[in-house]
Coordinates of all heavy atoms in Angstrom, one line a residue:
K185 N 120.9 102.8 116.7 CA 120.4 104.2 117.1 C 119.1 104.6 116.4 O 118.9 105.7 116.0 CB 121.4 105.3 117.1 CG 122.7 105.0 118.0 CD 123.7 106.1 117.9 CE 124.4 106.2 116.5 NZ 125.4 107.2 116.5
T186 N 118.2 103.6 116.3 CA 117.0 103.8 115.4 C 115.8 103.3 116.2 O 115.8 102.3 116.9 CB 117.2 103.1 114.1 OG1 118.3 103.6 113.4 CG2 116.0 103.3 113.2
V187 N 114.8 104.2 116.1 CA 113.4 103.8 116.6 C 112.5 103.5 115.4 O 112.6 104.3 114.5 CB 112.9 105.0 117.5 CG1 111.5 104.5 118.0 CG2 113.9 105.1 118.7
F188 N 111.6 102.6 115.6 CA 110.8 102.3 114.5 C 109.3 102.4 114.9 O 109.0 102.3 116.2 CB 110.9 100.9 114.0 CG 112.3 100.5 113.6 CD1 113.2 99.9 114.5 CD2 112.7 100.8 112.4 CE1 114.5 99.6 114.2 CE2 114.0 100.4 112.0 CZ 114.9 99.9 112.9
L189 N 108.4 102.6 113.9 CA 106.9 102.6 114.2 C 106.4 101.8 113.1 O 106.3 102.1 112.0 CB 106.4 104.0 114.2 CG 104.9 104.1 114.5 CD1 104.7 103.6 116.0 CD2 104.3 105.4 114.3
Q190 N 105.9 100.6 113.4 CA 105.2 99.6 112.6 C 103.8 99.9 112.6 O 103.1 100.0 113.7 CB 105.4 98.2 113.0 CG 104.7 97.2 112.2 CD 105.3 97.2 110.7 OE1 106.4 97.2 110.5 NE2 104.3 97.2 109.7
M191 N 103.3 100.3 111.5 CA 101.8 100.7 111.4 C 101.1 99.8 110.6 O 101.3 99.6 109.4 CB 101.7 102.2 110.9 CG 102.5 103.1 111.6 SD 102.3 104.9 111.1 CE 102.9 104.7 109.4
N192 N 100.1 99.1 111.2 CA 99.2 98.1 110.4 C 97.8 98.6 110.5 O 97.5 99.4 111.2 CB 99.3 96.7 111.1 CG 100.7 96.2 111.1 OD1 101.6 96.5 110.1 ND2 101.1 95.4 112.1
S193 N 97.0 98.0 109.6 CA 95.6 98.2 109.5 C 95.4 99.8 109.5 O 94.5 100.2 110.2 CB 94.8 97.7 110.7 OG 95.0 96.3 110.8
L194 N 96.1 100.3 108.6 CA 96.0 101.9 108.5 C 94.6 102.3 108.0 O 93.9 101.7 107.2 CB 97.2 102.4 107.6 CG 98.4 102.4 108.2 CD1 99.5 102.5 107.2 CD2 98.6 103.6 109.2
K195 N 94.2 103.5 108.6 CA 92.9 104.1 108.3 C 93.2 105.5 107.7 O 94.2 106.1 107.8 CB 92.1 104.2 109.6 CG 91.8 102.9 110.3 CD 91.2 103.2 111.7 CE 91.0 101.9 112.4 NZ 90.2 102.1 113.7
A196 N 92.2 106.0 107.0 CA 92.2 107.4 106.4 C 92.6 108.4 107.6 O 93.3 109.2 107.3 CB 90.9 107.7 105.8
E197 N 92.1 108.2 108.7 CA 92.3 109.1 109.8 C 93.7 109.2 110.4 O 94.1 109.9 111.2 CB 91.3 108.9 110.9 CG 91.1 107.5 111.4 CD 90.0 106.8 110.9 OE1 89.8 107.0 109.5 OE2 89.3 106.1 111.5
D198 N 94.5 108.1 109.9 CA 95.9 108.1 110.3 C 96.8 109.0 109.4 O 98.0 109.2 109.6 CB 96.5 106.7 110.2 CG 95.8 105.7 111.1 OD1 95.7 106.1 112.3 OD2 95.5 104.6 110.7
T199 N 96.2 109.6 108.5 CA 96.9 110.6 107.4 C 97.4 111.8 108.2 O 96.6 112.5 108.9 CB 95.9 111.0 106.4 OG1 95.6 109.8 105.5 CG2 96.6 112.0 105.4
A200 N 98.6 111.9 108.2 CA 99.3 113.1 108.9 C 100.8 113.1 108.6 O 101.3 112.2 108.0 CB 99.1 112.9 110.4
V201 N 101.4 114.2 109.0 CA 102.9 114.2 109.1 C 103.4 113.7 110.4 O 102.8 114.1 111.5 CB 103.4 115.6 108.9 CG1 105.0 115.6 109.0 CG2 103.0 116.2 107.6
Y202 N 104.2 112.6 110.3 CA 104.6 112.0 111.6 C 106.1 112.5 111.9 O 106.9 112.5 111.0 CB 104.7 110.3 111.2 CG 103.3 109.9 111.3 CD1 102.5 110.1 110.3 CD2 102.9 109.1 112.4 CE1 101.1 109.5 110.3 CE2 101.6 108.4 112.4 CZ 100.7 108.7 111.5 OH 99.5 108.1 111.6
Y203 N 106.3 112.8 113.2 CA 107.5 113.4 113.6 C 108.1 112.4 114.7 O 107.4 112.0 115.5 CB 107.2 114.8 114.3 CG 106.7 115.8 113.3 CD1 105.4 116.1 113.1 CD2 107.7 116.6 112.6 CE1 104.9 116.9 112.2 CE2 107.1 117.5 111.7 CZ 105.8 117.8 111.6 OH 105.3 118.8 110.7
C204 N 109.5 112.3 114.5 CA 110.2 111.6 115.6 C 110.6 112.7 116.7 O 110.8 113.8 116.3 CB 111.4 111.1 114.9 SG 112.4 110.1 116.2
N205 N 110.4 112.1 117.9 CA 110.8 113.0 119.0 C 111.7 112.3 120.0 O 111.6 111.1 120.1 CB 109.5 113.5 119.8 CG 109.8 114.2 121.1 OD1 110.0 113.6 122.1 ND2 109.9 115.4 121.0
A206 N 112.7 113.1 120.5 CA 113.6 112.6 121.5 C 113.6 113.6 122.7 O 113.8 114.8 122.4 CB 115.0 112.4 121.0
A207 N 113.5 113.2 123.9 CA 113.3 114.0 125.0 C 114.4 113.7 126.1 O 114.6 112.6 126.5 CB 111.9 113.8 125.6
R208 N 114.8 114.8 126.6 CA 115.7 114.8 127.8 C 114.9 115.7 128.8 O 113.9 116.2 128.5 CB 117.1 115.3 127.5 CG 117.9 114.4 126.6 CD 119.3 115.0 126.3 NE 120.0 113.9 125.6 CZ 121.0 114.2 124.7 NH1 121.2 115.5 124.4 NH2 121.7 113.4 124.0
V209 N 115.4 115.6 130.1 CA 114.8 116.5 131.1 C 114.6 117.9 130.7 O 113.5 118.4 130.9 CB 115.7 116.3 132.4 CG1 115.0 117.3 133.5 CG2 115.7 114.9 132.9
S210 N 115.6 118.5 130.0 CA 115.4 119.9 129.7 C 115.1 120.3 128.3 O 115.0 121.5 128.1 CB 116.8 120.5 130.1 OG 117.8 120.0 129.4
R211 N 115.0 119.3 127.5 CA 114.8 119.7 126.2 C 114.2 118.5 125.2 O 114.4 117.4 125.5 CB 116.1 120.1 125.4 CG 116.1 120.7 124.1 CD 117.3 121.2 123.6 NE 117.3 121.7 122.3 CZ 118.2 122.4 121.7 NH1 119.3 122.6 122.2 NH2 118.0 122.8 120.4
H212 N 113.4 119.0 124.2 CA 112.9 118.0 123.3 C 113.5 118.3 121.9 O 113.8 119.5 121.5 CB 111.4 118.3 123.0 CG 110.6 117.7 124.2 ND1 109.9 116.6 124.0 CD2 110.4 118.0 125.5 CE1 109.2 116.2 125.1 NE2 109.6 117.1 126.0
Y213 N 113.8 117.2 121.2 CA 114.3 117.3 119.8 C 113.3 116.8 118.8 O 112.7 115.6 119.1 CB 115.6 116.6 119.7 CG 116.7 117.1 120.7 CD1 116.8 116.5 122.0 CD2 117.6 118.1 120.3 CE1 117.7 116.9 122.8 CE2 118.5 118.6 121.2 CZ 118.6 118.0 122.6 OH 119.5 118.4 123.4
W214 N 113.3 117.4 117.6 CA 112.3 116.9 116.7 C 112.9 116.6 115.3 O 113.9 117.2 115.0 CB 111.2 117.9 116.4 CG 110.3 118.2 117.6 CD1 110.6 119.1 118.5 CD2 109.1 117.4 118.0 NE1 109.6 119.1 119.5 CE2 108.7 118.0 119.2 CE3 108.5 116.4 117.3 CZ2 107.6 117.6 119.8 CZ3 107.3 116.0 118.0 CH2 106.9 116.5 119.2
G215 N 112.5 115.6 114.6 CA 112.8 115.3 113.2 C 112.0 116.3 112.3 O 111.4 117.0 112.7
Q216 N 112.4 116.1 111.0 CA 111.8 117.0 110.1 C 110.4 116.6 109.6 O 109.6 117.3 108.9 CB 112.7 117.1 108.8 CG 112.6 116.0 107.8 CD 113.2 114.7 108.2 OE1 113.9 114.6 109.2 NE2 113.1 113.6 107.4
G217 N 110.0 115.4 109.9 CA 108.6 114.8 109.7 C 108.7 114.1 108.4 O 109.4 114.4 107.5
T218 N 107.7 113.1 108.4 CA 107.5 112.3 107.1 C 106.0 112.1 106.9 O 105.3 111.8 107.9 CB 108.2 111.0 107.2 OG1 108.1 110.2 105.9 CG2 107.6 110.1 108.3
Q219 N 105.6 112.4 105.7 CA 104.2 112.3 105.3 C 103.6 110.9 105.2 O 104.3 110.1 104.5 CB 103.8 113.1 104.1 CG 102.5 113.1 103.5 CD 101.5 113.9 104.5 OE1 101.8 115.0 104.8 NE2 100.5 113.3 104.8
V220 N 102.6 110.6 105.9 CA 101.8 109.3 105.7 C 100.5 109.7 105.2 O 99.7 110.4 105.9 CB 101.8 108.5 107.1 CG1 100.9 107.4 106.8 CG2 103.2 108.1 107.5
T221 N 100.1 109.1 104.0 CA 98.8 109.4 103.5 C 98.1 108.0 103.2 O 98.7 107.1 102.5 CB 98.8 110.1 102.2 OG1 99.5 111.4 102.3 CG2 97.5 110.3 101.6

């Protein structure tokens, strides 16, 4: 029950808080976020 994001060749402009999202027809769910610098 896990989704991954493999990030290669990272750039300074990729710096952000990354949030996981899960969507159903009527609702979106969000994770707490993880910082990528």
Side-chain angles (χ1 to χ4, degrees):
K185 297 184 288 185
T186 300
V187 176
F188 304 98
L189 184 68
Q190 178 66 44
M191 304 185 294
N192 298 328
S193 303
L194 283 160
K195 305 175 181 179
E197 51 263 44
D198 295 318
T199 295
V201 178
Y202 284 71
Y203 295 92
C204 181
N205 173 270
R208 291 178 174 148
V209 173
S210 59
R211 186 166 178 180
H212 283 252
Y213 303 90
W214 295 94
Q216 80 283 359
T218 185
Q219 177 70 46
V220 172
T221 302

